Amino acid sequence: MLVTGGAGFIGSHTCVELLGHGYDVVVVDDYSNSSPGALERVAKIAGRPPAAVHEIDLLDRRALSRVFDEHDIDAVIHFAAKKAVGESVELPVEYYDTNVGGTTALLRAMHDHGVHRLVFSSSCSIYGNATKVPLTEEDPAGPTNPYATSKLLCEQVLTDVCRYLPGLSVLALRYFNPVGAHPSGLLGEVPRGAAPNNVMPYLARVAAGRLPKLSVFGDDYPTVDGTGVRDYIHVMDVAEGHRVALDHLDKGSGMQVFNLGTGQGTSVLELVAAFQRASDTPIPFEITGRRPGDVAALVADPNAVARAWNWTTTRDLTAMCEDAWRFQELNPSGYPN
């Protein structure tokens, strides 16, 4: 199994899931927003390391082709991408280059080496300013930032390629907001930079006293308390969903899309309260203006994947916060360099 971006937050947890179920895993990562230390933790948790790790950029097509030359790849799980909404507004060219260009480079390498099974890491952000919640896979896309647009473009590329190559089987998973950490406390989210882009690691650093307060971007949304509502899903549920997806790639060719979420919406202030309970620590916050590209509410309708795979998420918001806090306490500075 080739996992691109396998040292990242979701990729590393998925590697643990795959290794624990008997898969041999090959990882490709350029470590632009990840650490080799994550893969050391993966090996410790799983009891065995990935079969191989290649430090390359997917845009380096020759290096990527050599990975396929060296390993007998059966299927690919594609995580490698830039993923920060706010940053994408400031750096749109970089996001299209990495996310769309990396996907087309991967597809070419797969085709050249006779690999026809792909699980693609998509995003709920493609729904944009949704007019209703929860969201089904049939609801229209309306991305509001370059990150979301890049994911939608990748889905369109995959749909077109599946028409051109009828033997290709692709599952695109639009997961909602992954949070939490491995319950061991050994593996979690370690974003680069002093101030994380994602809310859960930011909350953890505020609770640990490493950051002074949380900025809540907007309190005038049409939601229960005016703050943004999201469908938070435990990262281990996301990892399990990708592993289960592999079991369904052989059930037909073409492109299929599924939401991965809990179906439960949580506002930012509700998340703050839950994290305060998990950490037993007051978390100061301030309300600031809305962040460009953000939307009021994104909540999944997870019924399609439940019907198709007989699979649902099992971990609740309390587990998400407790696991994230455990990782923060055990790894105050992230992974060792």
Side-chain angles (χ1 to χ4, degrees), residues 24-25 37 53 82 136 212 218 261 268 275 285 288 311 315 335:
D24 291 323
V25 176
V53 178
K82 291 182 176 293
T136 71
V268 176
F275 206 92
F285 64 88
T288 64
W311 177 85
R315 299 158 178 91
Y335 302 121

Side-chain angles (χ1 to χ4, degrees), residues 209-223:
R210 298 185 61 207
L211 291 172
K213 59 189 173 183
L214 174 73
S215 294
V216 178
F217 298 109
D219 64 348
D220 58 349
Y221 288 109
T223 62

Side-chain angles (χ1 to χ4, degrees), residues 19 260 312:
L19 289 165
L260 292 189
T312 59

Side-chain angles (χ1 to χ4, degrees), residues 15-265:
C15 286
V16 167
E17 178 75 9
L18 295 174
L19 289 165
H21 283 80
Y23 288 93
D24 291 323
V25 176
V26 175
V27 171
V28 165
D29 204 300
D30 67 357
Y31 301 129
S32 59
N33 192 35
S34 60
S35 166
L39 296 176
E40 295 174 7
R41 302 293 182 86
V42 166
K44 186 172 183 179
I45 295 168
R48 64 188 181 105
V53 178
H54 298 270
E55 183 179 354
I56 65 167
D57 187 327
L58 290 186
L59 295 176
D60 185 342
R61 295 183 181 232
R62 290 185 178 179
L64 182 59
S65 182
R66 286 195 294 270
V67 172
F68 281 85
D69 290 338
E70 293 177 20
H71 306 284
D72 186 14
I73 304 297
D74 293 304
V76 179
I77 301 179
H78 178 33
F79 292 110
K82 291 182 176 293
K83 62 176 185 177
V85 168
E87 183 184 62
S88 76
V89 175
E90 301 171 0
L91 302 170
V93 174
E94 285 83 348
Y95 269 69
Y96 293 126
D97 191 30
T98 297
N99 296 2
V100 182
T103 300
T104 57
L106 177 63
L107 285 169
R108 184 177 294 276
M110 289 175 60
H111 177 63
D112 290 345
H113 293 83
V115 180
H116 307 298
R117 302 162 70 228
L118 172 67
V119 179
F120 173 65
S121 167
S122 191
S123 170
C124 68
S125 64
I126 70 166
Y127 293 113
N129 273 314
T131 57
K132 73 177 185 68
V133 292
L135 291 157
T136 71
E137 292 82 352
E138 285 72 39
D139 283 313
T144 61
N145 56 77
Y147 164 68
T149 302
S150 74
K151 287 294 186 179
L152 183 60
L153 286 172
C154 287
E155 285 194 13
Q156 185 61 57
V157 168
L158 291 167
T159 299
D160 291 343
V161 172
C162 282
R163 292 195 188 103
Y164 171 67
L165 299 173
L168 184 64
S169 179
V170 178
L171 285 170
L173 304 184
R174 295 173 180 170
Y175 47 81
F176 280 60
N177 287 68
V179 295
H182 191 274
S184 67
L186 292 174
L187 195 64
E189 188 169 9
V190 184
R192 294 288 177 90
N197 285 309
N198 295 336
V199 65
M200 187 71 90
Y202 207 113
L203 276 171
R205 292 188 186 186
V206 173
R210 298 185 61 207
L211 291 172
K213 59 189 173 183
L214 174 73
S215 294
V216 178
F217 298 109
D219 64 348
D220 58 349
Y221 288 109
T223 62
V224 62
D225 55 24
T227 64
V229 168
R230 297 293 182 268
D231 185 343
Y232 295 101
I233 175 173
H234 199 293
V235 64
M236 289 308 302
D237 279 326
V238 177
E240 184 181 288
H242 283 77
R243 192 259 305 164
V244 173
L246 296 173
D247 297 334
H248 296 270
L249 280 173
D250 290 330
K251 294 184 177 180
S253 59
M255 168 84 160
Q256 287 184 285
V257 175
F258 288 108
N259 290 335
L260 292 189
T262 67
Q264 300 294 318

